[in-house]
Structures are given as C-alpha cells and as structure tokens.
Amino acid sequence: MSPTSATPSAPSPAVDHGPTRHLGAMDYSVLQQCMHCGMCLPTCPTYVETKKERHSPRGRIALMRAVADGELAVSKAFGEEMYYCLGCLACTTACPAGVDYPTLFEAARAEVEDAKVLDSPKRNAIRATVLRGLFTRPRLLRLVGRLLWIWQASGGQTLFRRLRLTRLLPPNLRRLEPQTPTIRARFSHQLIQPVESSANPKPLRRVAVLTGCVQDLAFSEINRATVDVLRANGCEVHTPPVQPCCGSLHGHNGDLATARDLARRQIDLIDPDRFDAIISNAGGCGSHLRNYDHLLAADDAYAAKAATWSRKLRDIHEYLVEINFRAPLAPPSPQTITYHESCHLCHGQKVSVQPRDILRAIPGVELRECGESSWCCGSAGIYNITQPKTSGWLQDRKLDLLTATGADIVATANPGCHLQIANGLQAQGDDHTTVEHPIVLLARAYAAEAND
Amino acid sequence: MTAPDVRHALGSTLADADILTEIEDLIPYGFDGTATLKERPLAVVFPRSTKQVSAVVKWAREARVPVVSRGNGTGLSGGSVPVAGGLVLCLNHLDRIVELDRANLTIRAQAGVVTQDIFAAADAAGLFYPPDPGSMKISTIGGNVAENSGGLRGLKYGVTRDYVLGMEVVLADGSICRLGTACVKDVAGYSLRDLFIGSEGTLGIVTEVLLKLLPRPTARRTLLATFAAMDEAAATVSAIIAAGIVPCTLEFLDRRTIQCVEDFAHVGLPTDAEAVLLIEADGHPAAVDDEVAHIEKLCREHAATTVRVAADAAEATRLATARRSAFSALARLRPTTILEDVTVPRSELAAMIRDVEAIALKHDVQIATFGHFGDGNLHPTILTDERDTAEMHRVEAAITAIVEAALARGGTITGEHGVGLAKKPFLRRQLGDASYSLLQLVKRSFDPDGLLNPGKIFDLPA
Ligand SMILES: Cc1cc2nc3c(=O)[nH]c(=O)nc-3n(C[C@H](O)[C@H](O)[C@H](O)COP(=O)(O)OP(=O)(O)OC[C@H]3O[C@@H](n4cnc5c(N)ncnc54)[C@H](O)[C@@H]3O)c2cc1C
Ligand code: SF4
Ligand code: SF4
C-alpha cells in the first residue's frame, strides 16, 4: 500500500460466515506470507494446464485467505478447487518467500471436510471404508491385499465377487481395475525379521524401518532391499511386523483427526528415543512422517516425542549419503537409468541429489537426466482416481520425457509414481522399460558383489 | 450490470469457459504483485484473438463497463488491480510467437507471450532479446510494454522501449490500429508507439508487438564482489562508470537481502557482507576478459573484501536466478513486503542509500535495499505487517520520505514499475502542473469515456 491511493474505492463488504476451524484459526502470518509475486506460477501443473489464477498457488492461497477473512464461504467450488490441487508442492520449492503451502493445503482440505460441501453418499462411503476403515487397520489391509493377490494369481474374479470384497473398495474399481497394483505374494513381515543384525559384527547404528501400506502390498521387495542396504552399511535394523499407515492419505484428504491418531500409534510402536534414525523409503509417506512434530504440536502427551521423531526421520537415500554409504564393488553390468523425482521426496523433503548420488555410485550405471524430472507424474495420492483428466495429461507429459531419454530403467522412490509410470508404459505397449526403486538397484549391486 | 449480464452479452463473442464470473474465480484476479491492494472485478474474460479483444472493448464501451488489461499480474504498482470493478481482460491466451525474422532481426509476438519465451526463441535462433525483468519467467511482453519494464541488463542494453519497433493495439472504441513499422528508421508523424509504451493499459490494449533483436554476444562472464559497507559498493559503481566501462549488469544487494536470498537459493552468497555487487560483462571474448579484469581491479581498489568470478555459465545462471528472487525472498522476514522503486542519477547513489538508512531509523521501520545499481534504480523494500496500524502509519511516512529524497536528488518516483496506484500521489510533484495536464489531455483524446483502466496514473477531472 502506498500513502493515499491505496483505498480508491470502498472495499467489498466482508460477509461473516462465522469463524472457520482451520484456516480462520491458524497463525494469520502463514496466509500473509504469500505476496502474490507469481514466481510459483510456471511450476504449478494445474496452472500451466489452464492458465487460470484460481488454479495457481497464489490464487488458491488468496481463496484460503478470503475464507479466513470471512469474505468467502467454504463453498463447493472452493472444495473442488482444493481437490483440484495436486498437493505436489512444486510451489514450495519455487517460492522465494518461503510460504508454508503444505500447512495451508492440509488446513484448507480439513476446512472442506468440516463444511461437508463435497459430501455425497458415494464419496462418504469411500472415505469411510478406504480412509478410516481400511487404511487405519494394517491387518485388514493386508487381508484385503492377500485376497486381491489370490484374485490376481488365480484369475479368480468370481471368487472376489462372491466374497463381496468390492464393498471395501471404491465403486469405480472397474474403471481402475487395470491400474490395480500387482499384489506381491509375500508381504514385508514375511520377508523381514523384526530385528536383523548388521552385516558388520559390531553394528554402528540402530535404525527402524517403516514399511508403508501400499509399499508393503505392492512392493514388499523394496522394503526387503531397504533392510539389506542398511545392514550392508553397518545398521542393526528394526522392522515392526504390523505397522499402522503413516496417515499421509488422511492428512492430505482433510482428515486431520485420524492423521493425528495414526501418528500417535506410530510413535507408540516405534519409540524414537531408541533409534539413531527412523527410515522411510516412500517419498509421500516420508514427507508426512517428517511432519509429526507440527501435527502433534498441540498434544501435550506426544509433542516432545513427535519432535524427536521428526528430528530422526530420514529418507533412505538421504540417510545413506549422510552415513557415507559404501559404493558397491560389483563388476559393472551396463544399465541406462533415468530418475523421476517423486514430488514429496524432492519438494516435500528436499531430497533430490542423494538418489542420484546413489544411482551414480552403482558400477556400470549411466544416469541420463530427464526434462522436468521434478514435475508431478499425475499420481498424487488418489488424484488419478479423483481427477482422471489432469492426471492423464500429466502422465502423458511425463512418459514422453522419460521415453525421450532412451533409458532402459526409470528409477523412482514412491509407490504411487511407480505404479503410475509402470501402468503408463504398459498402456503404451512398452514392455522393455522397467521401473525400479533406486534402493532395489543398490541392493542388487551389493548382492552381485557377494556372488562374485 | 451483473455478472450474468456480462456472460449473456459476451456469450456469442467468447467461449463459455473464457468468461469467469464465479466469486472463487474473481477473488484471484483482484490483485497483482503489489502488497495490500485489492478489489474484485465484475468478470474476467480471456480473448483468444485481436478480433475478440475488439469485440469485448466495443461492448464494454456501449455498456459503459471499465476494462482493465492484464498480462500475468506481476505488476508492482497495482496496474492491473480492478479498482473501478468492471472487466479484467486477461491477455495470457494470446500466447503465440507469430514470426521470427532472421533477415531483419525482429520477432513478432502476441501480447500474452511470456517474456522468457521471447528470450528463448531468440536464443534458439542465435539472437538476443536483452530486456530481462526479474519476473521474466512469468510476466508477459504486453505487460512489459505497458510498464516499459527494465531488467538486469538495463545498464548496457536499455529497457523494453528500446526494442519495440511496432505494435498492434485495440483502441477504446474497439478499432484495431497498427503503430510503428518494421523500419529501424521511421519519423513519420508523432511516435504514437512511444506514447503506448509505459501507458499502463490506460490508452488502449496491446495485442501484438514487433520487437528488435540483437546478435547474441559470444561471451559472458559474471563476477561477485562483497563489501563491508554499502558506501564502498556505491563508490565502486561510480568508479566503474567513470572509467568508461559499461558492464551489462550491475546489481546490488544489501545485507538483509543477501541473507534472505541465500536462505532460499543456497548459492553461496556471503551472508556476513554488508553489500554485494553482481556484475556481468558480455560481448567479444577478449573484450569481456579485459573488462572483467578491469572491474576486478576497481573492486579491490574500493575495498571489496572478496571478488569471485563465476567458474562457468551454470554458476553465473545460478547467481542471476538468485538475484531475481530478491524481492520475493525478502518476504521471509515480515508478513507484508512493500517494494519501492526510485531512480536517482548514478552519482547520487551513495547519498541516496544514506538517505534511506536515515529514513528507516527516523521512522523506525525495517527497510532492505537492492536494485539495479548500474541504472541508479533502487528498490528500498519495507518489511512490515499490514495489520499493525501504528506501524503502517510510520511506513507511509517513510515511503513519502523516500520518494521526496529521490526527487530532491534529481531522481524519479518510479524507475520501472510504473505509476499505477502506488505512485499516483507523487506524479504531479515530479512532472509539474503543465506536463501533468498534458498527460491528462492525451488520455482524454484516446479514451474520452475514461473506461480503460480507470483510476490509474492519475484521476481525471470530472
Ligand atoms: C518478482 C518480481 C520481479 C520483478 N522485476 C522487475 C524488473 O526487474 N523490472 C521491471 O521493470 N519490473 C519488474 N517487475 C514488475 C512486473 O513484472 C512488470 O511490471 C511486468 O511488466 C508486468 O507484466 P505482467 O504481464 O505481469 O503485467 P500485469 O501486472 O498484468 O499488468 C501491468 C500493467 O500493464 C497493463 N497491461 C498488461 N498487459 C497489457 C496489454 N496487453 N495491453 C495494455 N496494457 C496491458 C495492465 O493494465 C497494468 O497496468 C517484477 C515483478 C515481480 C513480481
Ligand atoms: S501443490 Fe502443486 S498443484 Fe497444488 S498449488 Fe502447489 S504446485 Fe500447484
Ligand atoms: S511464489 Fe510464493 S509468495 Fe510468490 S505468489 Fe507463489 S506462493 Fe505466493
């Protein structure tokens, strides 16, 4: 504002829609932090797709602020806008002002859920079964996973139907069926002992490994590989066999209460004081897990533990580089690899060079950089289910760039991205390019060394 | 006039999706990059051709609805804030580069093309479009022309005005008109083209521009010098200019700015320095080496504590990108960031900086300063909180004092961001009554009904 001209006409009257529980109650300076400079615009996929301000970070923040100011009701359009946002956090990397978009985003979605503006019987049913029913019960989730596996392994669609398990899954499962991850024959607890000693006689460090839910069902071998590489680098590894979901799905979908609940359960299960580090190997989970300190800041009983937790939480790549991991000695088998950055790993956790460092340390690897490697692939939690159009546009854009590198392997470190890219490649009829987690590649190199 | 009326009236001209009337769509078009100014438009429209622009303007005139042109809303003087309501006419879908003419070294582009894309298209052809506002990855060329934007390379290469050969504009009555020609020399009549450059959307709507390009310099080197006192940095600048050296870039950051930028960009800026100069030389390789050596010597003679030459192009780009984030990075310190934009003759720089420091002290407000030192263009940036009324009074007093100090030193109230709303109160003082009235007269003859971006630059007498 400048001296006299700043209020040339009367501001539109503020309509009081009553205090809002989340945006209205938050520290106002978080909302003020955005100064509308627009530096984030070219990095925001939804803005690039439509070129409309409402679909940009600064537009969304302006809407959130209008809600906090009581100028805008938490409307259906507001709700739709908040769910049109990918939550990819590219804006946080681009923003020089340091706007805390993750906090704003979670508060805004919680506001939408509180106001019930998007409610419909179908949406409520999905949220109740999937978010609160399934993803809070690790054993049930595994059971469903097991049955899915039987279904997939035996082609037993009939059996699946007879058991009426569709009830537990989103009604539009049929459309998504081809995208259903291939469930692994064995899950993490069948592959990993609760405690595994270090490969060195004297462990240098003691760490806990988080197995995740989607990771556990669809990519349990990545968890196994994680334990292997940690052991190979002098860690004693603790992996509780039954772990609750980290709560990221809930946090990102406006259910902060359940997210807090799950965080407390996680901390009860893995006491951060007992470990040198707590290791996550999935970009999306890690980004949320690091945030427990904020999530439980107001919880007197847990705040201190949560702070320790967040301090010790490490992404696997980050941790390996931090402890000066050992480069594998295996004789080089030539591999061309390109790296796709999971949004929540690079933007959420700022882990971007470490996975590349690890890939480059593997003998025989040629790492080929891919354009827009830190752009969202369109997976974004359950975004590919809720916004198939934008998700598909992003998937195509990503596949074009990945294919252009000519690499045989796409490395990525988040189960959502992994599935999105693998499904995309498959749909294009590409049966040559494979998708791998960098840690699996590293573990393989260590194993080749042992066989040598 | 209501939003549904607009939709109804323009429905045959524009696609449905190109007319926005929902409140959730209007709020984000109520502001630009300027702090604390906002107003809600009646509707937002996205024309996709000059014809559509013309049709919208014709209708608006008949219906007496104000029209505010908008590029991408990065303006820093409130230029695209719809203070009188009406339509926001957003040009960012007019985003085609029409032609790059190698024989004549020109590029023709629609108004909504992002500045960076013009630079990139020229670069790909081995040519060079020099104007590079800090916002170049977002701002549109139409917005640049409307604000006559400067940039980091202004010292050697000038501002947007120096590259505009011609343009296509839609006038207030909806007629389409071409100004200027592709000729490098052209003295036929008044230069209406020049009148439009810097007119901030008040005279007409720019729909296409024809820009001059240069051959691409063959070499480029960047140098970073740190100083223990601001004065020494300013004195170094004077010495460089006095030695007859014209680097392409000569940027300055003070201690607060350095810290914020480093916090964001992690490029290794010395956070304990009082001031840094970021200097770039370009041209023929031998000349560049010579210039860099000379500049380095002058920096050392003027008490630079360190001088570092960027190792390669990648490091140079990192440093320039960091510099471009300066304004936004300052928002890390306080909730509200108010950027000023004054220019003084370069010999007055050191004195002007001392003025700013004294003003900050006297009014008890936090001010960080950075700017295009080579042009004498300073951006004293006030860090405050708009909710603190008492502090905001002090802030207003400080802003007035800064502008007055610049005028007293023979400077201008705005070096590149335009008058818009922010500088309106000071314009008459700078111009004097006669020129001020002349400007109003020009506005009247182009836009007799006062419907194009009303309320900007000055108020018209009723
Ligand atoms: C981080 C940051 C850095 C910046 N750095 C610089 C800098 O270094 N140098 C500098 O000069 N500026 C700078 N600016 C200011 C701003 O970017 C420029 O003024 C820019 O030219 C605005 O372009 P825009 O497309 O965003 O226009 P807008 O903000 O949308 O509009 C600006 C003005 O132009 C008018 N206008 C826009 N398009 C048209 C058109 N087609 N026809 C007629 N009128 C039109 C509008 O009505 C308004 O008055 C910076 C801004 C930011 C946020
Ligand atoms: S999270 Fe991603 S989609 Fe959402 S505003 Fe930020 S950049 Fe855009
Ligand atoms: S870059 Fe940051 S401050 Fe600038 S508009 Fe985007 S979110 Fe706001």
Side-chain angles (χ1 to χ4, degrees):
Chain A
M1 184 176 70
S2 199
T4 53
S5 60
T7 44
S9 58
S12 19
V15 192
D16 192 6
H17 298 283
T20 54
R21 272 212 315 143
H22 303 277
L23 292 167
M26 77 192 298
D27 175 359
Y28 194 74
S29 63
V30 180
L31 287 157
Q32 273 179 302
Q33 193 80 39
C34 172
M35 35 102 88
H36 315 152
C37 66
M39 297 293 260
C40 52
L41 264 54
T43 69
C44 172
T46 55
Y47 176 76
V48 171
E49 188 189 15
T50 67
K51 288 200 183 188
K52 299 213 159 73
E53 280 287 347
R54 159 180 166 173
H55 306 313
S56 79
R58 77 175 166 180
R60 291 188 174 114
I61 296 168
L63 293 179
M64 295 177 200
R65 189 162 164 181
V67 165
D69 287 344
E71 284 172 21
L72 175 70
V74 181
S75 56
K76 183 154 182 272
F78 177 81
E80 284 167 352
E81 189 51 56
M82 295 308 134
Y83 277 89
Y84 183 47
C85 171
L86 291 148
C88 71
L89 308 186
C91 47
T92 62
T93 298
C95 174
V99 169
D100 181 3
Y101 191 79
T103 297
L104 292 170
F105 174 69
E106 291 201 347
R109 283 204 175 172
E111 205 73 83
V112 172
E113 294 314 318
D114 267 18
K116 303 188 185 305
V117 284
L118 297 181
D119 281 16
S120 72
K122 185 171 131 191
R123 186 174 187 271
N124 294 354
I126 297 174
R127 290 177 64 90
T129 44
V130 179
L131 283 188
R132 277 185 295 273
L134 204 52
F135 277 91
T136 55
R137 295 188 175 81
R139 286 196 175 83
L140 179 62
L141 187 63
R142 272 186 184 148
L143 174 69
V144 173
R146 172 62 51 240
L147 292 164
L148 256 175
W149 178 77
I150 294 173
W151 178 58
Q152 289 174 339
S154 64
Q157 209 167 2
T158 356
L159 171 68
F160 187 77
R161 281 193 186 142
R162 202 173 322 126
L163 290 172
R164 291 176 37 83
L165 277 165
T166 36
R167 270 187 304 130
L168 294 170
L169 296 162
N172 50 356
L173 179 73
R174 202 151 302 136
R175 175 172 64 76
L176 289 169
E177 207 247 88
Q179 293 180 33
T180 318
T182 311
I183 302 298
R184 292 301 188 250
R186 294 198 298 161
F187 300 149
S188 302
H189 65 293
Q190 295 160 306
L191 298 173
I192 305 168
Q193 298 301 314
V195 183
E196 296 198 15
S197 60
S198 154
N200 307 352
K202 254 183 75 190
L204 307 168
R205 301 172 182 86
R206 180 199 279 170
V207 302
V209 165
L210 300 166
T211 49
C213 4
V214 178
Q215 191 91 292
D216 178 33
L217 298 185
F219 302 110
S220 47
E221 78 279 8
I222 294 175
N223 289 334
R224 180 63 249 173
T226 304
V227 174
D228 287 342
V229 301
L230 285 166
R231 289 185 59 230
N233 282 284
C235 299
E236 177 185 290
V237 186
H238 294 244
T239 314
V242 183
Q243 300 187 12
C245 164
C246 66
S248 78
L249 267 179
H250 310 81
H252 294 161
N253 286 285
D255 188 355
L256 286 172
T258 310
R260 290 201 179 93
D261 222 46
L262 286 163
R264 284 186 281 260
R265 280 170 60 190
Q266 199 77 258
I267 293 175
D268 287 343
L269 180 71
I270 298 171
D271 179 354
D273 288 323
R274 289 184 50 226
F275 299 100
D276 294 309
I278 302 158
I279 306 293
S280 155
N281 58 14
C285 311
S287 164
H288 179 77
L289 286 156
R290 292 187 107 100
N291 205 27
Y292 278 4
D293 53 349
H294 292 293
L295 198 62
L296 296 177
D299 181 333
D300 290 342
Y302 279 85
K305 281 265 190 227
T308 313
W309 173 282
S310 291
R311 196 158 40 77
K312 292 194 175 173
L313 198 110
R314 290 288 182 286
D315 171 71
I316 178 70
H317 309 89
E318 180 186 26
Y319 190 63
L320 287 173
V321 170
E322 202 172 294
I323 64 174
N324 223 342
F325 76 105
R326 178 173 74 72
L329 305 165
S333 53
Q335 318 179 65
T336 49
I337 302 182
T338 186
Y339 178 58
H340 159 71
E341 314 203 38
S342 125
C343 294
H344 282 243
L345 192 56
C346 65
H347 303 304
Q349 304 190 57
K350 309 288 175 225
V351 173
S352 171
V353 289
Q354 297 94 327
R356 293 179 164 92
D357 287 348
I358 287 175
L359 290 169
R360 274 199 215 94
I362 300 173
V365 163
E366 180 197 334
L367 185 64
R368 296 189 184 161
E369 281 298 334
C370 163
E372 294 181 359
S373 68
S374 64
W375 259 57
C376 180
C377 62
S379 162
I382 52 171
Y383 197 86
N384 48 2
I385 304 173
T386 55
Q387 306 278 353
K389 185 171 151 277
T390 303
S391 172
W393 172 72
L394 284 166
Q395 189 182 38
D396 291 345
R397 190 171 169 129
K398 178 61 70 181
L399 290 173
D400 283 351
L401 289 163
L402 289 172
T403 325
T405 65
D408 302 325
I409 300 174
V410 176
T412 193
N414 186 57
C417 309
H418 195 136
L419 288 169
Q420 176 90 343
I421 293 170
N423 287 334
L425 289 169
Q426 198 193 359
Q428 288 189 347
D430 180 337
D431 47 16
H432 167 72
T433 316
T434 56
V435 185
E436 302 278 10
H437 194 293
I439 294 305
V440 169
L441 298 171
L442 178 64
R444 242 178 243 160
Y446 284 142
E449 195 175 50
N451 295 335
D452 207 30
Chain B
M1 182 69 48
T2 65
D5 296 342
V6 175
R7 190 171 282 283
H8 181 75
L10 293 178
S12 56
T13 305
L14 301 172
D16 207 42
D18 290 337
I19 308 173
L20 307 181
T21 50
E22 252 191 332
I23 179 169
E24 288 80 1
D25 273 311
L26 302 181
I27 288 174
Y29 285 94
F31 53 80
D32 64 1
T34 320
T36 70
L37 293 166
K38 67 173 183 192
E39 197 53 63
R40 206 171 293 164
L42 176 63
V44 184
V45 295
F46 297 88
R48 289 176 190 257
S49 68
T50 303
K51 263 202 170 125
Q52 287 188 340
V53 175
S54 158
V56 169
V57 172
K58 257 191 201 126
W59 170 78
R61 187 182 199 198
E62 275 159 29
R64 306 200 69 78
V65 171
V67 175
V68 183
S69 311
R70 190 178 199 271
N72 273 333
T74 65
L76 293 176
S77 54
S80 54
V81 178
V83 283
L87 298 185
V88 165
L89 185 134
C90 196
L91 291 136
N92 67 356
H93 283 285
L94 283 175
D95 57 358
R96 210 160 39 85
I97 292 182
V98 185
E99 182 192 26
L100 190 139
D101 181 345
R102 284 168 205 262
N104 286 307
L105 297 187
T106 58
I107 189 167
R108 186 183 294 281
Q110 290 186 306
V113 175
V114 169
T115 316
Q116 167 83 28
D117 294 344
I118 301 226
F119 174 85
D123 194 54
L127 300 172
F128 182 38
Y129 177 70
D132 60 340
S135 53
M136 70 185 295
K137 284 191 180 154
I138 331 148
S139 69
T140 65
I141 193 68
N144 290 177
V145 170
E147 294 286 4
N148 189 17
S149 300
L152 274 57
R153 291 189 274 257
L155 172 57
K156 180 166 170 181
Y157 293 104
V159 294
T160 305
R161 181 187 302 278
D162 301 310
Y163 297 86
V164 181
L165 287 171
M167 59 178 110
E168 178 191 73
V169 296
V170 171
L171 299 179
D173 62 358
S175 57
I176 300 169
C177 135
R178 288 198 167 269
L179 311 174
T181 61
C183 301
V184 176
K185 293 175 85 174
D186 176 3
V187 291
Y190 300 148
S191 176
L192 292 177
R193 166 194 73 195
D194 275 291
L195 210 49
F196 265 79
I197 302 169
S199 64
E200 307 187 28
T202 61
L203 299 185
I205 296 159
V206 180
T207 48
E208 196 180 287
V209 292
L210 178 68
L211 302 167
K212 180 170 88 179
L213 301 176
L214 300 180
R216 187 169 56 195
T218 43
R220 174 171 291 161
R221 287 180 73 191
T222 299
L223 180 148
L224 187 79
T226 61
F227 297 85
M230 282 229 243
D231 263 8
E232 288 160 357
T236 308
V237 174
S238 304
I240 293 173
I241 306 276
I245 306 171
V246 187
C248 107
T249 297
L250 222 176
E251 296 287 306
F252 158 82
L253 309 175
D254 76 353
R255 188 170 47 84
R256 280 206 181 96
T257 316
I258 298 166
Q259 286 168 348
C260 289
V261 167
E262 184 55 23
D263 220 21
F264 165 65
H266 309 292
V267 286
L269 295 179
T271 48
D272 53 351
E274 273 305 308
V276 306
L277 292 179
L278 182 71
I279 308 173
E280 187 178 286
D282 71 356
H284 187 276
V288 169
D289 285 346
D290 205 46
E291 234 173 60
V292 168
H294 200 158
I295 294 169
E296 205 174 334
K297 183 165 153 272
L298 287 171
C299 288
R300 294 200 194 281
E301 280 171 15
H302 287 82
T305 41
T306 64
V307 184
R308 170 177 134 202
V309 180
D312 50 23
E315 188 183 352
T317 307
R318 272 203 303 281
L319 289 173
T321 307
R323 156 62 189 89
R324 290 202 176 91
S325 71
F327 159 52
S328 318
L330 278 169
R332 290 172 177 252
L333 294 178
R334 295 290 306 280
T336 310
T337 312
I338 301 173
L339 181 74
E340 278 308 318
D341 168 38
V342 292
T343 304
V344 293
R346 289 177 293 208
S347 56
E348 299 289 315
L349 264 178
M352 183 66 207
I353 286 176
R354 277 195 296 274
D355 289 349
V356 171
E357 285 179 337
I359 290 165
L361 217 58
K362 176 170 172 215
H363 295 279
D364 186 23
V365 294
Q366 258 189 62
I367 305 183
T369 300
F370 66 95
H372 315 292
F373 246 31
D375 327 337
N377 189 184
L378 285 184
H379 294 312
T381 304
I382 295 134
L383 310 170
T384 179
D385 186 341
E386 70 210 271
R387 289 170 304 169
D388 184 336
T389 326
E391 186 171 316
M392 284 308 277
H393 284 307
R394 302 203 304 277
V395 166
E396 289 190 7
I399 291 176
T400 306
I402 290 172
V403 174
E404 277 168 354
L407 288 175
R409 296 200 175 278
T412 164
I413 59 174
T414 168
E416 54 180 21
H417 296 161
V419 178
L421 294 168
K423 289 299 169 57
K424 240 166 92 171
F426 306 111
L427 184 65
R428 188 191 285 265
R429 204 169 328 160
Q430 178 176 332
L431 296 184
D433 289 343
S435 335
Y436 190 80
S437 307
L438 210 49
L439 284 197
Q440 291 178 318
L441 218 58
V442 171
K443 163 77 177 169
R444 273 266 189 260
S445 50
F446 275 87
D447 178 21
D449 303 314
L451 292 172
L452 294 179
N453 209 1
K456 306 300 162 61
I457 307 182
F458 38 61
D459 289 316
L460 287 176

